[in-house]
Amino acid sequence: MLFYARKRFVAKARILALLHNRPLAKEIWGVDENQKTWEHMMALGDVVEIDVSAEPILKGLTIPIPLRSLTLVRAEERRRFLHLIPPSSHPERTVPAKATAEPADLATLGRDDLFRALASLKTHIREHRPTRHKPITLLWSIGRLAQGKGRMVDWETFRAEVAPLLKEFGQPDSRVTPEYPFWHLRSSGLWSVEGVVGQGATPTPAQLASAHARAGLGKDAAAILRRSLSRAEAIGLLCSTYFADIDRDSLLERVGLAGYTSASGEPPAGGGGSAKRRTVTSSQPDRDQRLVEHIKMMYKHACQVCGSRVETRYSHYSEAAHIRGVGKPHNGPDELSNLLCLCPNHHVEFDRLAIYIDEDWSVRRNSTGDILFELRRHADHVINKKHLRYHRGLCGRV
Ligand SMILES: [Zn+2]
């Protein structure tokens, strides 16, 4: 475990045990106004002060800077950066390292492998920012799958479609080189290239053209990404990992994935920046109005997130929110198990993926992971957790 302060790692420690012990936590820290305490604990040993610049490590792991909360790093990623951390005075217990297979050599790619690969794309670092060639290209290929197109494309088509995306959404100072992701995405283990052999330098566009090269998502990756849940999770993950600071609505719209930036699938209301955004008239399929009334009555208009009831002159006001949007692109069901009763503010925050509901019903802020509330649930309201998982996927919380 590394401790972070002001862009430096200032201490390291070894995690000896993970504990869940509410009485102990209560004894040490007491409880807050909601009777909550810090009951999930870590026992640390070998705490040593260090002083290491955090930037190269966080960038290499594509973790946003500054680091804001507890962030877990997988063992194999940690190993890549171990040499940057000063060794302890007593030798670290060495774990025999297995010969790590190159991702490209994986015989079959599993779901976890896919998400791990998506989260740790090797990107060029230019001016302290990773270039976006690879994530843009992957998003484009996921868009193709979503539209029912084939996974492999020839170089000319690839160039014609991907180059304008790189120009518009790449880092301002990075060159438009579609041949780079076409060729180098293979190292992610998610991509295959046909017609050209070799591992070396990037072939020139002319070489790719004369070889009639084709490229696209690997078979296994494509099979996983054709499933709606995995697709939502992959898009959410790519967006939160690589596109935090660009107009995701227009990027997703350009690659045929409009609607994935909100739970409802509707474009953001009221000004999103892009002047050329099309005007969308509501194309929502008919909702069952009785369900809407039912859920509002069940909660007596109290928001399931914050509990507040918006008062009106003669009654109260609340909104029925679908967890997984009905209609394109999410195709969620119009039923009570896919509905929440929310106040207008939390409806917007939920729909625009600023908050999400965790496995244990805690409502968390997506930017920090902080717990804000516990979701209020009526005894007669059975919420389908699969829909919450889909929503978390859109939030980039795989
Ligand atoms: Zn609320």
Side-chain angles (χ1 to χ4, degrees):
M1 165 165 262
L2 299 176
F3 292 86
Y4 175 92
R6 295 177 299 277
K7 300 191 179 172
R8 318 279 305 169
F9 286 119
V10 296
K12 66 170 187 169
R14 186 187 302 282
I15 299 172
L16 302 177
L18 300 174
L19 323 167
H20 182 196
N21 188 333
R22 187 175 161 84
L24 175 60
K26 241 172 117 174
E27 195 63 37
I28 299 172
W29 295 293
V31 292
D32 67 12
E33 66 272 24
N34 298 317
Q35 298 300 305
K36 295 258 170 86
T37 183
W38 291 265
E39 59 200 68
H40 293 277
M41 289 171 271
M42 277 180 194
L44 301 179
D46 302 341
V47 183
V48 181
E49 285 189 27
I50 58 173
D51 183 31
V52 177
S53 169
E55 259 196 342
I57 296 173
L58 294 176
K59 286 210 170 102
L61 293 166
T62 59
I63 294 170
I65 299 171
L67 189 60
R68 293 198 189 280
S69 58
L70 180 68
T71 303
L72 299 177
V73 174
R74 288 177 187 278
E76 60 267 39
E77 287 166 341
R78 165 181 160 271
R79 237 174 261 136
R80 277 166 47 210
F81 296 93
L82 219 48
H83 63 280
L84 297 173
I85 309 293
S88 307
S89 47
H90 54 90
E92 189 168 351
R93 187 162 49 94
T94 49
V95 181
K98 274 191 225 151
T100 46
E102 280 299 308
D105 295 336
L106 289 172
T108 51
L109 180 92
R111 211 180 151 277
D112 289 351
D113 302 318
L114 174 98
F115 289 112
R116 208 171 304 149
L118 289 177
S120 56
L121 294 174
K122 287 191 195 111
T123 49
H124 270 316
I125 306 286
R126 278 180 66 89
E127 303 289 321
H128 303 301
R129 291 166 166 281
T131 56
R132 302 191 189 113
H133 291 75
K134 288 180 180 179
I136 287 173
T137 303
L138 285 171
L139 217 44
W140 166 82
S141 26
I142 294 171
R144 283 182 60 88
L145 295 182
Q147 295 161 68
K149 296 179 181 170
R151 63 181 176 90
M152 299 294 283
V153 288
D154 59 86
W155 160 246
E156 299 296 348
T157 308
F158 182 93
R159 175 156 69 173
E161 294 190 12
V162 174
L165 295 172
L166 299 182
K167 188 167 169 24
E168 189 170 343
F169 299 102
Q171 296 291 358
D173 57 345
S174 79
R175 290 187 304 130
V176 176
T177 49
E179 63 276 18
Y180 172 78
F182 186 93
W183 183 246
H184 289 288
L185 255 176
R186 289 180 309 169
S187 68
S188 68
L190 307 175
W191 192 255
S192 57
V193 178
E194 292 170 0
V196 194
V197 287
Q199 293 289 336
T202 319
T204 63
Q207 286 167 334
L208 291 173
S210 70
H212 301 291
R214 295 167 61 78
L217 285 165
K219 264 202 189 89
D220 295 342
I224 298 168
L225 291 166
R226 283 200 181 96
R227 300 203 288 265
S228 61
L229 172 63
S230 305
R231 184 157 66 234
E233 291 176 326
I235 296 164
L237 185 66
L238 285 171
C239 283
S240 56
T241 310
Y242 305 101
F243 304 121
D245 49 357
I246 63 173
D247 182 353
R248 304 177 206 192
D249 291 301
S250 23
L251 171 59
L252 289 178
E253 189 177 324
R254 283 283 303 279
V255 298
L257 294 172
Y260 276 92
T261 51
S262 71
S264 60
E266 289 173 29
S274 168
K276 63 177 185 298
R277 184 169 300 130
R278 70 209 153 91
T279 323
V280 179
T281 49
S282 179
S283 56
Q284 295 296 327
D286 284 338
R287 282 25 177 332
D288 187 340
Q289 199 55 33
R290 285 166 307 175
L291 285 177
V292 169
E293 290 311 313
H294 187 166
I295 190 126
K296 292 179 177 180
M297 287 305 110
M298 193 183 254
Y299 288 94
K300 301 189 173 66
H301 295 294
C303 173
Q304 282 183 259
V305 169
C306 65
S308 73
R309 299 205 300 165
V310 176
E311 196 181 309
T312 61
R313 174 71 180 83
Y314 296 109
S315 177
H316 288 89
Y317 174 86
S318 61
E319 299 183 352
H322 282 101
I323 300 168
R324 176 173 174 166
V326 178
K328 283 184 178 174
H330 305 313
N331 302 315
D334 190 19
E335 51 193 40
L336 210 57
S337 65
N338 187 31
L339 276 174
L340 296 173
C341 175
L342 299 178
C343 72
N345 283 353
H346 284 120
H347 190 181
V348 173
E349 291 198 340
F350 184 81
D351 188 51
R352 300 298 295 162
L353 313 178
I355 56 175
Y356 66 94
I357 297 157
D358 219 338
E359 191 68 33
D360 62 358
W361 305 110
S362 50
V363 180
R364 290 176 184 265
R365 180 160 299 292
N366 199 6
S367 56
T368 59
D370 290 347
I371 296 180
L372 305 174
F373 298 95
E374 174 149 346
L375 191 77
R376 289 144 211 267
R377 302 183 322 279
H378 190 282
D380 296 336
H381 185 201
V382 179
I383 299 171
N384 188 332
K385 285 196 159 186
K386 275 200 246 167
H387 304 321
L388 292 175
R389 185 173 167 197
Y390 185 93
H391 181 271
R392 284 198 298 275
L394 294 176
C395 290
R397 299 281 173 171
V398 179

